[in-house]
Amino acid sequence: MSPVIDGLQYANWSEKIFREMRAGGVDAVHATITYHENFRETVLNIEAWNRHFERHPDLIFQGFTADDITLARETGRTAIFFGSQNPSCIEDDIGLVEVLHRLGLRFMQLTYNNQSLLATGCYEDDDTGLTRMGREVVAEMNRVGLVVDMSHSGERSTLEAIEYSTRPIAITHANPAAWHAALRNKSDNVLRALSGTGGMLGFSIYPHHLKNGGACTLNEFCEMIARAADSYGVENLGIGSDLCQDQPDSIVEWMRTGRWTKRIDYGEGSADAPGFPPMPDWFGGNADMPNLTAGLRDIGFSDDDTAALMGGNWARFFRDSFGGTV
């Protein structure tokens, strides 16, 4: 039986959520541990996670390799794999790529909406692609087994990362722009290049990435997945819910503005709706994960393809991606 894996969450972690993970049968989660934090601040976030692991060893543990997904299933727990949504954690020091990988970081975005030292974010007017440092960092990430994530990156930068990386990359939380034309969603050109190189797309349930926002129905979401499977192959797809369960609105402000601006940046929101948008009624938290399984089956996916989409594909990708190269 295939595992259930969520390719991206940034919840307000608590015992309540860890228990909901178990109620929803979630075997592994790629958890964002850092956005705009520098290296030392990221280490402090890892220390906070260590306290979670100490307090709730019956519910969660830190994942390092794909074998930990099997361990999670065998012991009735959830494996937590660390990720960063911004390269701020490596500052301007390529040596920190290996250090953070040894601490358990397994995914790192090259940008978060803005231009970074490595590439261009999807909110910039001019996308200049991978920088010189970006190419060096991608090569180092490939070497140590740290997944290149281009979820918040611009079109050219994403295509160049796919081409330059010697290992398949991931877009952990986004949807096809042809379905809903959000800046964060991805073009057909990007998704064809991604799937053609064995990369993974995690479908996002964050309302700003959904057609009709929080009013998007489960059937509409699963129909979108079915069309994507026809276009890009079911083996390259999974769930990356972008779930921000129980987070206060102050966190979305940190996500959008960090330290780069003194003004309020509303990102995908607006002055009239500055906080987190309401989630669809069929997915408000980890305990609702079985709704996705049921929706995929109802739309016509076979049991095998449903299992692949719900975690089997991510498990294969983790197995191929987290080890270093010789």
Side-chain angles (χ1 to χ4, degrees), residues 162-209:
I162 292 168
E163 180 181 8
Y164 191 81
S165 178
T166 58
R167 307 177 78 158
I169 76 159
I171 295 171
T172 58
H173 54 301
N175 296 321
W179 181 68
H180 177 58
L183 281 174
R184 273 269 290 101
N185 286 340
K186 302 303 179 183
S187 73
D188 180 67
N189 284 341
V190 164
L191 296 178
R192 289 193 182 280
L194 180 76
S195 59
T197 52
M200 279 286 294
L201 171 67
F203 292 108
S204 171
I205 311 176
Y206 191 68
H208 288 312
H209 307 155

Side-chain angles (χ1 to χ4, degrees), residues 198-254:
M200 279 286 294
L201 171 67
F203 292 108
S204 171
I205 311 176
Y206 191 68
H208 288 312
H209 307 155
L210 301 176
K211 184 185 293 185
N212 302 318
C216 179
T217 68
L218 177 58
N219 188 70
E220 289 170 333
F221 183 73
C222 292
E223 282 184 343
M224 177 265 294
I225 294 176
R227 288 198 294 272
D230 288 341
S231 297
Y232 312 117
V234 71
E235 68 275 10
N236 301 299
L237 308 174
I239 302 298
S241 69
D242 203 7
L243 180 66
C244 299
Q245 187 175 357
D246 292 348
Q247 289 284 20
D249 286 346
S250 58
I251 290 297
V252 79
E253 183 176 335
W254 166 246

Side-chain angles (χ1 to χ4, degrees), residues 8-19:
L8 193 286
Q9 290 190 21
Y10 184 54
N12 188 8
W13 309 105
S14 66
E15 181 178 354
K16 170 198 166 188
I17 290 177
F18 301 145
R19 292 196 180 280

Side-chain angles (χ1 to χ4, degrees), residues 87-216:
S88 298
C89 56
I90 67 166
E91 302 177 7
D92 58 356
D93 183 354
I94 195 171
L96 293 180
V97 170
E98 184 171 17
V99 171
L100 282 163
H101 182 267
R102 291 187 180 188
L103 292 175
L105 202 71
R106 290 298 177 266
F107 294 82
M108 187 175 77
Q109 290 184 184
L110 300 193
T111 69
Y112 187 81
N113 295 342
N114 291 355
Q115 179 72 42
S116 75
L117 290 174
L118 310 182
T120 305
C122 60
Y123 272 65
E124 298 287 1
D125 292 331
D126 299 313
D127 184 353
T128 56
L130 294 186
T131 64
R132 292 202 305 158
M133 183 176 180
R135 291 191 292 272
E136 294 299 313
V137 167
V138 167
E140 179 69 354
M141 292 172 72
N142 289 164
R143 184 184 73 83
V144 302
L146 181 56
V147 176
V148 175
D149 186 351
M150 300 300 282
S151 294
H152 284 256
S153 300
E155 175 107 350
R156 176 181 169 184
S157 291
T158 304
L159 290 169
E160 288 188 4
I162 292 168
E163 180 181 8
Y164 191 81
S165 178
T166 58
R167 307 177 78 158
I169 76 159
I171 295 171
T172 58
H173 54 301
N175 296 321
W179 181 68
H180 177 58
L183 281 174
R184 273 269 290 101
N185 286 340
K186 302 303 179 183
S187 73
D188 180 67
N189 284 341
V190 164
L191 296 178
R192 289 193 182 280
L194 180 76
S195 59
T197 52
M200 279 286 294
L201 171 67
F203 292 108
S204 171
I205 311 176
Y206 191 68
H208 288 312
H209 307 155
L210 301 176
K211 184 185 293 185
N212 302 318
C216 179

Side-chain angles (χ1 to χ4, degrees), residues 302-320:
S302 68
D303 288 348
D304 285 347
D305 284 349
T306 297
L309 289 164
M310 289 303 298
N313 291 337
W314 276 126
R316 183 197 68 246
F317 185 83
F318 284 18
R319 191 164 50 250
D320 296 342

